[in-house]
């Protein structure tokens, strides 16, 4: 027969029901109403959470916390918050409670809960909290227990499948592996701005920091393992399952209906209803499970896991046999072999351990060492060797060596590494926290508990920061929430004088002209979110900027080599070919923030500015065209000159009648030997505009122009396209190019000098062309002149040599062609002759 170990005829009450029934709240109230009390929770997280709650009510002097890793026991402690495994059963208390008592059926930990069900009793009142599924077994095993069922305070309904991007705010997404958790958290960060992460391996400090992140609405989503199913109370409206199967430590299996309900029940709080469903690639939940969850109706448990607690320490074999004893009655079964028993069996094969484990005290000590929790789960013999070493030191030396203990904790005192590394170190420090809490193993327990807690806090903070930096984009999360809350209302936004766009206190990008440039760090879904926020924020800003542009001075605008029109050095439009070269069109750059009216206003303003700019830069050309309107004979040449941007190569004085040339000269148009042109348009500003308009007509980038004041250029300019040199007023002159107006002026002077026959070669001619003297013959040949040998001095002649002579020629060739120059004589005695196409005559 199974009996109770207390000896008290106290009332035993089982308060059963689904999640969100207020069971834990009731138990804490009853515990604090008694003079003393102990309550056991299934998780260290919950024990710590409720310890803080009890301290807030009763004060830190009167409340204790006992878990495997933490022992805070003030001398005046009267109320204890514990994990179920750490409940001090040897301490008498008026009230005892065990939470989640249905975990008696858990194959791994169930034997601990079953032991508390059968043996843990308060002197006045005992309360068992859990699901209704355990009710039949409580009636069988604890016949005197009074069972009270409580209804759920809110409705829980099935919402069906939903895409991750369409989950409502305040949702928890549940997955069952670290890889799935990380993948889901990353997706939510991209699409929703971020999420909090809760896993069973987190320390209470990290878990609380992550929960606080969610509760403070810095993020609206939570990604968690099924650890949230155990009493984690948060403001969750919807639970979405990313999977319906898990690996339970032994095999993969499907979730039971009761497990689905335990997790889904986190949705809804107090009187607020909740919902549950599936997401990502998880199939829909079956109708039978949905019906059971919504009705809170599940198959009753028929077996509880049990392990003998009346152990025999006479020998190792007898200890193992007592642990493997068969259950004493119906409704009890043996669960999975626990890690402490596995460790004991492994160490019983170690000769050195067997040598030390002699006598009841040593065997009990070995069993205590084997019960060190295997938080690290390394799947090798590391944990067994640690237990053996602890046993060996305590058995031989009474206490653990201080240097060894310090070294083990110091090795974990590192906050670098990724999330998995930090969690592994946290698991390690939890082991040492458990060891440090054993005053019979460790000298100065308070010091080493404090040292382990210091390292755990350091790692916990680093882990929280790593989780937050990886899975939370506070800017995006804030913007998502405000965009949803604003529901069409204006967001708090501003544009700084530098064009930075700030929405709800977050910089989301900057304005360039009338285009929004998102923060370059925002990519993918985050970039879409930033654009969405900017669209609302810039709804009123862009019309204001249009007004500023329309009212801006002409000096605020400029042109680039790619024919872009800039406003305050930022492109806002581009030039396009017009019907004629002097009338290009302005095309406003695309912007989603500009409507048709705004684009027309910008286009009209820039079009007016461009027209004034062209007319200002090419003023002499437009003035000549205006004056020629009343002279029919001049309209033709001026029309052609307008089409050719003020320069017509090859149209020389021979093609125009003598009557027209003086009239053109009066208009500022020169009919020269090589072209019809306007010398005033050879100035830098006019030359740059003519080059720009020509390049625009050719649909090419504006070539680089030579510096102002330059007369001579190398013949080959790599970036000059065909036809550009002639249009820009540069003629080929042998090995170089000469500026047209200079070439015309010098050629005219030389022609006048040779008008009646031979003439002396002027001195300093090479310097006027800015060329080397030895290049002069080839240059002059291309300009229509030839250097001829001059006669030398006679033998009896004395005095200075005769000066070079010029001889007029009847014909000259245009300089627009580029024939290969014929060999010429050069020297101090030379003469000039005029060339014409076909040779010298």
């Amino acid at each position: 027969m199974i009996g109770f170990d207390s000896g008290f005829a106290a009332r035993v009450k089982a308060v059963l029901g689904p999640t969100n029934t207020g069971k834990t709240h009731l138990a804490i109230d009853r515990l604090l109403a008694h003079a003393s009390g102990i309550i056991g929770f299934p998780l260290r997280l919950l024990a710590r959470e409720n310890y803080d709650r009890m301290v807030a009510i009763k004060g830190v002097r009167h409340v204790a916390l006992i878990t495997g890793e933490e022992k805070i026991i003030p001398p005046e402690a009267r109320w204890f918050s514990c994990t179920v495994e750490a409940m001090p059963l040897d301490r008498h208390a008026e009230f005892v409670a065990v939470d989640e008592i249905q975990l008696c059926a858990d194959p791994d930990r169930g034997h601990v809960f079953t032991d508390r069900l059968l043996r843990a009793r308060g002197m006045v009142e005992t309360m068992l909290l859990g699901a209704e599924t355990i009710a039949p077994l409580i009636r069988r095993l604890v016949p005197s227990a009074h069972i009270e069922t409580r209804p759920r305070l809110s409705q829980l309904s099935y919402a069906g499948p939903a895409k991750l991007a369409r989950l409502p705010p305040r949702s928890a997404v549940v997955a069952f592996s670290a890889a799935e958790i990380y993948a889901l958290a990353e997706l939510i960060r991209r699409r929703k701005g971020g999420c909090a992460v809760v896993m069973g391996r987190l320390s209470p400090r990290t878990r609380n920091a992550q929960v606080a992140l969610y509760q403070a609405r810095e993020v609206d989503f939570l990604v968690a393992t099924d650890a949230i199913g155990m009493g984690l109370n948060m403001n969750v409206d919807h639970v979405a399952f990313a999977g319906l199967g898990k690996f339970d430590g032994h095999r993969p299996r499907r979730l039971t209906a009761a497990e689905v309900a335990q997790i889904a029940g986190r949705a809804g709080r107090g009187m607020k209803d909740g919902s549950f469903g599936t997401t990502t690639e998880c199939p829909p939940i079956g109708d039978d499970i949905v019906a059971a969850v919504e009705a809170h109706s599940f198959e009753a448990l028929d077996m509880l896991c049990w392990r003998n607690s009346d152990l025999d320490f006479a020998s190792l074999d007898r200890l193992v046999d007592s642990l493997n004893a068969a259950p004493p009655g119906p409704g009890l079964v043996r669960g999975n072999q626990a890690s402490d028993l596995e460790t004991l069996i492994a160490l019983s094969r170690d000769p050195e351990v067997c040598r030390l484990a002699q006598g009841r005290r040593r065997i009990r000590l070995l069993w205590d060492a084997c019960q060190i929790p295997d938080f690290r789960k390394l799947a090798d013999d590391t944990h067994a060797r640690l237990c053996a070493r602890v046993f060996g030191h305590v058995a031989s030396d009474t206490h653990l060596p201080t240097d060894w203990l310090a070294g083990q904790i110091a090795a974990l005192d590192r906050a670098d590494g990724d999330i998995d590394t930090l969690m592994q170190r946290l698991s390690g420090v939890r082991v040492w926290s458990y060891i440090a809490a054993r005053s019979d193993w460790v000298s100065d327990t308070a010091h080493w508990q404090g040292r382990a807690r210091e390292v755990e806090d350091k790692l916990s903070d680093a882990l929280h920061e790593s989780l937050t930096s990886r899975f939370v984009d506070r800017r995006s999360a804030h913007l998502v929430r405000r965009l949803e809350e604003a529901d069409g209302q204006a967001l708090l936004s501003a544009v700084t004088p530098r064009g930075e766009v700030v929405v709800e206190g977050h910089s989301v990008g900057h304005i360039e002209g009338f285009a929004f440039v998102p923060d370059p760090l925002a990519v993918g879904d985050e970039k879409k979110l930033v654009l969405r926020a900017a669209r609302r924020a810039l709804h009123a800003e862009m019309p204001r900027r249009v007004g500023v542009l329309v009212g801006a001075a002409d000096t605020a605008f400029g042109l680039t080599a790619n024919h872009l029109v800039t406003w305050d050095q930022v492109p806002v439009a581009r030039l396009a070919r017009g019907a004629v070269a002097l009338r290009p069109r302005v095309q406003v750059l695309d912007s989603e923030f500009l409507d048709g009216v705004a684009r027309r206003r910008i286009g009209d303003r820039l079009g007016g500015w461009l027209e004034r700019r062209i007319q200002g830069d090419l003023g002499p050309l437009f003035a000549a065209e205006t004056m020629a309107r009343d002279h029919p004979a001049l309209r033709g040449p001026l029309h052609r000159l307008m089409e050719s941007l003020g320069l017509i190569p090859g149209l020389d004085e021979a093609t125009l009648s003598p009557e027209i040339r003086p009239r053109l000269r009066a208009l500022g148009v020169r009919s020269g030997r090589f072209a019809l042109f306007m010398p005033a348009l050879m100035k830098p500003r006019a030359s740059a505009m003519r080059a720009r308009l020509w390049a625009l007509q050719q649909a090419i980038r504006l070539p680089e122009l030579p510096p102002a004041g330059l007369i001579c250029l190398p013949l080959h300019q790599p970036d000059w396209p065909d036809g550009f040199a002639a249009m820009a007023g540069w003629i080929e002159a042998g090995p170089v190019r000469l500026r047209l107006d200079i070439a015309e002026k010098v050629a005219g002077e030389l022609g006048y000098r040779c008008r009646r026959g031979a003439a002396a070669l002027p001195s300093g001619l090479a310097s006027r062309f800015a060329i080397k003297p030895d290049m002069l013959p080839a240059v002059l040949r291309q300009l229509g002149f030839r250097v001829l040998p001059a006669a030398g001095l006679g033998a009896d002649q004395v005095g200075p040599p005769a000066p070079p002579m010029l001889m007029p020629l009847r014909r000259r060739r245009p300089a627009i062609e580029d024939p290969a120059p014929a060999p010429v004589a050069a020297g101090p005695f030379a003469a000039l002759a005029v060339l014409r196409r076909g040779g010298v005559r």
Side-chain angles (χ1 to χ4, degrees), residues 484-502:
E484 292 171 348
E485 291 174 352
D487 193 22
Q489 301 176 12
L491 296 174
L492 295 176
S493 62
V495 179
T496 68
R498 296 182 299 172
E500 182 182 15
V501 180
V502 180

Side-chain angles (χ1 to χ4, degrees), residues 561-768:
N562 286 329
H563 312 299
L564 295 175
V565 181
T566 62
W567 172 39
D568 290 337
Q569 301 182 345
V570 176
V572 293
R574 65 167 54 89
L575 300 184
R577 294 176 59 180
V580 296
L582 289 169
R583 298 287 188 272
R585 295 179 295 112
V586 174
Q587 295 178 339
V588 180
L589 295 180
D590 292 336
S591 172
E592 62 179 300
F593 302 105
L594 298 177
D595 57 17
V597 174
R599 295 174 70 86
R600 282 194 296 273
R601 292 184 66 196
I602 296 171
D604 291 345
R605 174 67 180 91
L606 295 179
W609 162 79
L610 181 64
E611 183 177 358
R612 289 190 295 275
R613 171 77 179 269
I614 294 173
Q615 291 186 357
D617 291 351
L618 305 180
L621 181 61
F622 287 96
E625 191 265 345
T626 301
M627 290 187 290
R629 290 175 184 172
D630 298 333
H631 302 280
L634 298 178
R635 285 201 294 265
L638 261 298
H639 178 72
R640 291 187 59 190
L641 204 61
M642 293 283 287
E643 289 182 334
S644 300
L645 300 173
L647 190 153
I648 307 177
L651 188 64
D652 59 13
E653 57 190 4
T655 62
L656 298 173
S657 65
E659 296 80 8
I660 294 179
R661 291 200 295 268
R663 293 184 179 183
L664 289 174
R665 192 176 301 112
L667 299 178
V669 179
R670 178 169 179 176
S671 175
R673 294 168 174 257
F674 313 118
L676 183 71
F677 70 105
M678 299 188 74
L681 300 187
M682 298 300 296
K683 295 180 180 180
R685 184 173 172 181
S687 294
M689 180 55 72
R690 289 174 42 248
R692 181 182 301 281
L693 295 176
W694 182 87
L696 182 62
Q697 288 296 104
Q698 303 298 316
I700 62 173
R701 177 186 173 91
L702 174 65
E704 184 177 356
L705 296 174
L710 210 60
I711 296 172
C712 175
L713 292 176
L715 183 61
H716 299 291
Q717 297 293 317
D719 64 333
W720 281 13
D722 294 341
F724 178 74
M727 182 283 312
W730 292 86
I731 65 171
E732 293 186 17
V736 297
R737 292 186 187 274
L738 295 178
R739 206 172 74 195
L740 174 62
D741 56 342
I742 301 299
E744 287 281 11
K745 182 177 181 180
V746 174
E749 292 175 0
L750 293 180
Y752 182 79
R753 183 183 289 269
C754 297
R755 69 188 183 283
R756 295 178 181 176
L761 180 67
S763 61
L765 196 57
S767 63
R768 292 186 65 184

Side-chain angles (χ1 to χ4, degrees), residues 493-503 506-520 530 534 537-538 541-542 544-545 548 567-568 570 593:
S493 62
V495 179
T496 68
R498 296 182 299 172
E500 182 182 15
V501 180
V502 180
V503 180
H506 298 279
S507 175
V508 297
H510 64 279
I511 298 176
E512 289 187 356
F514 296 97
F516 172 69
V517 180
D519 184 345
V530 165
L538 298 176
E541 171 63 18
M542 286 306 182
R544 187 194 68 81
R545 290 179 72 85
V548 173
W567 172 39
D568 290 337
V570 176
F593 302 105

